[in-house]
Amino acid sequence: MIHLAEKKVDFSRLPKHIAIIMDGNGRWAKKRGLPRSAGHVRGADNFRKIVRYCGEIGISYLTVYAFSTENWSRPQDEVNALMNLLSEYLDRAYKELDDRVRVRIIGERDMLSPELIEKVEALEAYTKDRTGMVLNIALSYGARQEIVHATKSLAKRVENGEMKADEITTEMLNECLYTGDQPDPDLIIRPSGEKRISNFMLWQAAYSEFWYSNVLWPSFKPEHLLDAIAEYQGRNRRFGGV
Ligand code: FPP
């Protein structure tokens, strides 16, 4: 079935890379008198739907913000609920994920439990040769931390005498990011009414287009994604030029 909103979208010039801050699970649950963890369960189900849809319409890169470095400070039971959902997803991805999708987990991996690290590495290895959409799941991710991580890699090269500090370029720093081999996001989507970047892809977002909506993540549907893409396609991207 072709949804009305699809008509506004030119599928021949889709954004190559879409990034989504999946926000509003807690409020979605609260509105319904449910525990926050119930909102995350619905958020995870919706994540599956949107991943499938992005693959179907031909998005090349999708990055989702699943857990930030700052989220570790949430109450322990909420952190556990989120980690359990992620762990369950990593287990089920072999069966339920389209077999063309390549999964990458970006973030501070050392902060994860050894069991979760093992699952992350196994799924990445299993999907590494796939040539369809790249799905980056930002997990224990913070953009400032990512930039520090990249800076340290370059500093080590200088320390080892491989190059001089003056020779560092933006391209080199870019290559040291978790997404170093990928194009920057063209479009960043944040549902739930918040209009901030929250330590997400600060470097990569230099020329991204932003799209906000009041809809809470568990209620975010493919038609909202199409609205975002349609609006993106109507914008004039100048990348600092005229
Ligand atoms: C923000 O909503 C959302 C998160 C901190 C977690 C996002 C996680 C998911 C959607 C589930 C991820 C699962 C998989 C399998 C990738 P919030 O809790 O901050 O909501 P609020 O702002 O309304 O309180």
Side-chain angles (χ1 to χ4, degrees):
M1 186 184 77
I2 300 206
H3 189 272
L4 206 60
E6 282 187 52
K7 292 181 185 155
K8 294 185 285 181
V9 169
D10 177 352
F11 287 93
S12 69
R13 39 181 211 100
L14 290 171
K16 235 187 154 108
H17 187 167
I18 295 180
I20 307 180
I21 301 176
M22 304 186 291
D23 196 11
N25 297 343
R27 276 163 287 168
W28 182 93
K30 193 170 174 204
K31 269 179 149 180
R32 289 159 180 80
L34 298 168
R36 291 177 61 81
S37 57
H40 294 314
V41 170
R42 287 298 288 260
D45 286 344
N46 202 44
F47 153 81
R48 292 175 163 89
K49 279 189 200 137
I50 297 296
V51 168
R52 199 175 316 124
Y53 189 70
C54 285
E56 278 167 17
I57 63 172
I59 298 301
S60 303
Y61 298 86
L62 174 67
T63 302
V64 293
Y65 207 176
F67 192 89
S68 73
T69 42
E70 291 72 26
N71 288 156
W72 289 113
S73 66
R74 292 196 175 192
Q76 194 58 44
D77 59 344
E78 185 170 347
V79 170
N80 292 345
L82 281 164
M83 289 300 140
N84 287 339
L85 278 175
L86 286 154
S87 172
E88 189 183 293
Y89 179 72
L90 294 170
D91 288 338
R92 283 168 48 182
Y94 296 87
K95 276 205 175 144
E96 65 178 42
L97 195 61
D98 180 290
D99 63 9
R100 288 162 297 185
V101 175
R102 176 175 174 194
V103 180
R104 298 266 294 266
I105 308 294
I106 60 171
E108 300 207 295
R109 218 168 261 210
D110 301 352
M111 298 284 291
L112 306 174
S113 71
E115 299 77 45
L116 205 56
I117 296 177
E118 209 172 290
K119 288 183 186 189
V120 161
E121 287 175 352
L123 185 61
E124 283 182 335
Y126 187 80
T127 62
K128 78 176 177 19
D129 296 323
R130 292 179 173 178
T131 53
M133 184 172 79
V134 172
L135 170 63
N136 296 313
I137 304 177
L139 182 51
S140 189
Y141 173 88
R144 287 182 169 176
Q145 291 82 345
E146 179 183 32
I147 294 169
V148 169
H149 167 87
T151 307
K152 282 183 183 167
S153 313
L154 292 176
K156 279 187 191 136
R157 284 197 226 159
V158 173
E159 220 170 56
N160 296 340
E162 288 169 46
M163 63 175 187
K164 297 205 163 59
D166 267 351
E167 289 166 1
I168 294 175
T169 62
T170 48
E171 289 76 19
M172 282 181 197
L173 199 140
N174 192 62
E175 278 167 22
C176 293
L177 299 174
Y178 300 128
T179 54
D181 55 346
Q182 302 180 18
D184 289 338
D186 302 291
L187 172 63
I188 299 183
I189 293 174
R190 182 162 194 164
S192 96
E194 311 293 355
K195 295 189 173 64
R196 53 177 171 265
I197 187 82
S198 300
N199 203 14
F200 184 54
M201 303 193 100
L202 296 180
W203 173 283
Q204 298 91 328
Y207 288 102
S208 305
E209 295 292 329
F210 283 88
W211 187 85
Y212 304 100
S213 156
N214 287 332
V215 64
L216 303 173
W217 173 250
S219 307
F220 183 93
K221 303 217 157 31
E223 51 258 45
H224 297 116
L225 186 86
L226 293 176
D227 284 344
I229 296 174
E231 193 177 315
Y232 160 86
Q233 289 180 332
R235 294 194 195 164
N236 177 14
R237 300 183 80 194
R238 290 189 297 278
F239 299 94
V242 286

